[in-house]
Amino acid sequence: MVGPLKAIIQAAKDDVDVINLSLGSYYIDGDIYKDGELLDNKWADVEGYKLAIEYANKLGSVVVASAGNDSIDVSNKSELNNFLKKKYAEEGKTFNGVGIEAPGELPGVVTVSSTGPTQQPSLLSNFGKNYIDIAAPGGDSRLLEKYGQEAWWAFPTRTSINYF
């Protein structure tokens, strides 16, 4: 995890106006177990993100993060936890606590979701009230499903676009 944190700090030191983080993961604010053994919940990564983002913001950098690609209402903690319980069960893990998506859900971050060809939220983008700050044209499979691969590849907003 050190790599992204060092990159945020270095970009801020280099006076970068906008730091784009097309990454993220889910973390548990609580305990994670496998075969009854307590595992590292990687919460130190979340705290590291918070400090690096705060540092970047203080130096004048805007930190932008992708919303994630699991079609989850991240603001609905019940929905997010149910998704994570299934995901963790596949790995033989359980948890007690609440899931978050970081860095997108952290303070000081502009979180971006994607829209499809008709300006609707894309089928894959995470979403949620008080979670998404802006949406921009990005990936969506509606054209692929309706018209096939050739039309999907030809459409100009099929891939992410950075507007910053």
Side-chain angles (χ1 to χ4, degrees), residues 61-79:
S61 296
V62 175
V63 179
V64 178
S66 57
N69 296 321
D70 295 303
S71 299
I72 298 171
D73 181 349
V74 173
S75 64
N76 180 335
K77 291 304 174 185
S78 177
E79 182 178 333

Side-chain angles (χ1 to χ4, degrees), residues 128-140:
K129 186 176 182 177
N130 299 320
Y131 174 60
I132 302 302
D133 296 300
I134 189 170
D140 197 344

Side-chain angles (χ1 to χ4, degrees), residues 8-9 51 69 76 92 94 109 114-115 117 139 142 147 161 163:
I8 294 168
I9 291 167
L51 291 171
N69 296 321
N76 180 335
T94 60
V109 174
S114 67
T115 58
R142 285 183 181 98
Y147 299 109
I161 299 171
Y163 288 98

Side-chain angles (χ1 to χ4, degrees), residues 11 27 34 51 55 57 61 74-75 87 91 106 124 143 157:
Y27 298 91
K34 183 170 183 173
L51 291 171
Y55 178 79
N57 290 163
S61 296
V74 173
S75 64
K87 183 176 179 174
E91 300 170 7
L106 300 178
L124 58 92
L143 287 174
T157 60

Side-chain angles (χ1 to χ4, degrees), residues 2-162:
V2 174
L5 302 180
K6 286 175 76 173
I8 294 168
I9 291 167
Q10 189 60 54
K13 286 180 180 179
D14 290 345
D15 200 27
V16 170
D17 292 330
V18 178
I19 301 169
N20 179 37
L21 304 173
S22 294
L23 52 82
S25 190
Y26 300 104
Y27 298 91
I28 302 299
D29 187 2
D31 297 321
I32 302 171
Y33 300 91
K34 183 170 183 173
D35 300 325
E37 184 180 328
L38 183 63
L39 302 175
D40 180 1
N41 68 355
K42 307 290 186 193
W43 199 253
D45 293 354
V46 174
E47 294 301 324
Y49 268 129
K50 287 179 184 177
L51 291 171
I53 291 163
E54 182 179 328
Y55 178 79
N57 290 163
K58 281 183 182 177
L59 291 184
S61 296
V62 175
V63 179
V64 178
S66 57
N69 296 321
D70 295 303
S71 299
I72 298 171
D73 181 349
V74 173
S75 64
N76 180 335
K77 291 304 174 185
S78 177
E79 182 178 333
L80 178 58
N81 279 358
N82 287 337
F83 168 81
L84 292 174
K85 284 179 182 179
K86 288 178 187 173
K87 183 176 179 174
Y88 277 50
E90 291 170 2
E91 300 170 7
K93 299 176 186 175
T94 60
F95 69 88
N96 297 317
V98 178
I100 73 158
E101 194 286 331
E105 203 170 349
L106 300 178
V109 174
V110 175
T111 305
V112 180
S113 66
S114 67
T115 58
T118 60
Q119 264 91 96
Q120 299 169 267
S122 68
L123 295 174
L124 58 92
S125 186
N126 287 354
F127 58 95
K129 186 176 182 177
N130 299 320
Y131 174 60
I132 302 302
D133 296 300
I134 189 170
D140 197 344
S141 60
R142 285 183 181 98
L143 287 174
L144 175 63
E145 292 167 3
K146 189 170 183 178
Y147 299 109
Q149 192 171 18
E150 190 172 316
W152 185 73
W153 280 107
F155 198 79
T157 60
R158 137 190 99 60
T159 58
S160 296
I161 299 171
N162 291 321

